[in-house]
Amino acid sequence: MVGEACVPRALFGGAISTAFPARFQDVSDIREVPDHQEVFVDPARDESLIFELLDLKGEVDDAGSALWFLRDIANEQDAGDNLVIEHSGTLELAGLRLGEAPAVAGTSVGQMAVSKGRQGREAQNIVRLYLANIRLKNAATDVLITAYEPLLINPLSESAAAVAAGPAIPAEQAGCLAMSEIFKVAVMKFNVHDWNLFNGGP
């Protein structure tokens, strides 16, 4: 039985809230993070959660937006040529309503080989990337929620020092919630409390 729970977490000064395990540390305590991002990491497992607010990409179709952003991130990380899409779908948000209907996030999950920081291709790790896109059209904002789960750590990667090289220890074995579940909860619990964060009301 996994005892780890997701706990409420405030984002962007409390304007947004969600929930995920307490083991994820706020990266802004360690280094500077751009204003439009909130980044959390569990160094012991090399897992990370990123919440990002972007200007709405009006030219991107709603139905395929999560997949579009997933491919965009893969290309940014020089992994566009090895991205393998595993799944695409939707998640309904528990608390956030847009008009009369609950907000819905498009989701996409894929595997790719990426290097840490400035390391080269010889140090690539295999990671699973979970991505959700919540389209807040009333606020002209695309919200991205991304979760990185390492599957295979390269011995040459910076990550090897913290979590050891080779296949990642399954979450259940480590007494942790699976990243797939953490991602799902973080998306479904996502809520906006202060629309002024987006320089305007709904």
Side-chain angles (χ1 to χ4, degrees):
M1 173 69 188
V2 175
E4 185 177 50
C6 290
V7 296
R9 305 287 287 256
L11 306 174
F12 300 103
I16 288 172
S17 67
T18 182
F20 51 88
R23 64 186 165 92
F24 284 87
Q25 303 164 14
D26 189 340
V27 170
S28 67
D29 293 341
I30 305 156
R31 62 172 169 82
E32 208 166 320
V33 172
D35 286 347
H36 69 286
Q37 286 184 351
E38 291 269 22
V39 182
F40 299 87
V41 66
D42 175 5
R45 291 188 54 75
D46 203 30
E47 293 176 340
S48 55
L49 265 173
I50 301 169
F51 301 85
E52 197 166 4
L53 306 178
L54 301 173
D55 289 336
L56 188 75
K57 291 258 185 298
E59 72 277 13
V60 177
D61 182 55
D62 288 357
S65 66
L67 185 55
W68 187 91
F69 281 111
L70 187 73
R71 289 189 196 283
D72 190 51
I73 288 173
N75 288 330
E76 271 179 27
Q77 301 195 11
D78 202 20
D81 57 349
N82 66 53
L83 174 66
V84 178
I85 304 299
E86 295 183 343
H87 173 75
S88 290
T90 56
L91 284 172
E92 195 172 286
L93 278 63
L96 182 61
R97 300 186 77 79
L98 299 176
E100 293 303 303
V104 174
T107 62
S108 203
V109 182
Q111 276 190 42
M112 58 188 186
V114 293
S115 307
K116 277 273 190 176
R118 295 166 193 266
Q119 290 195 291
R121 282 184 170 241
E122 72 285 351
Q124 285 180 328
N125 300 319
I126 307 297
V127 301
R128 179 173 287 124
L129 174 59
Y130 302 82
L131 182 142
N133 175 214
I134 305 162
R135 313 209 83 182
L136 302 179
K137 294 188 177 177
N138 55 317
T141 300
D142 268 316
V143 177
L144 293 190
I145 301 173
T146 48
Y148 287 82
E149 174 187 21
L151 302 177
L152 185 67
I153 301 295
N154 188 313
L156 299 176
S157 171
E158 291 172 9
S159 303
V163 295
I169 296 166
E172 292 79 0
Q173 207 176 307
C176 301
L177 265 183
M179 202 59 187
S180 56
E181 195 58 30
I182 292 167
F183 170 73
K184 195 169 151 187
V185 171
V187 174
M188 292 173 70
K189 295 279 189 185
F190 183 91
N191 205 351
V192 178
H193 303 286
D194 183 2
W195 289 92
N196 291 319
L197 175 67
F198 309 103
N199 300 321

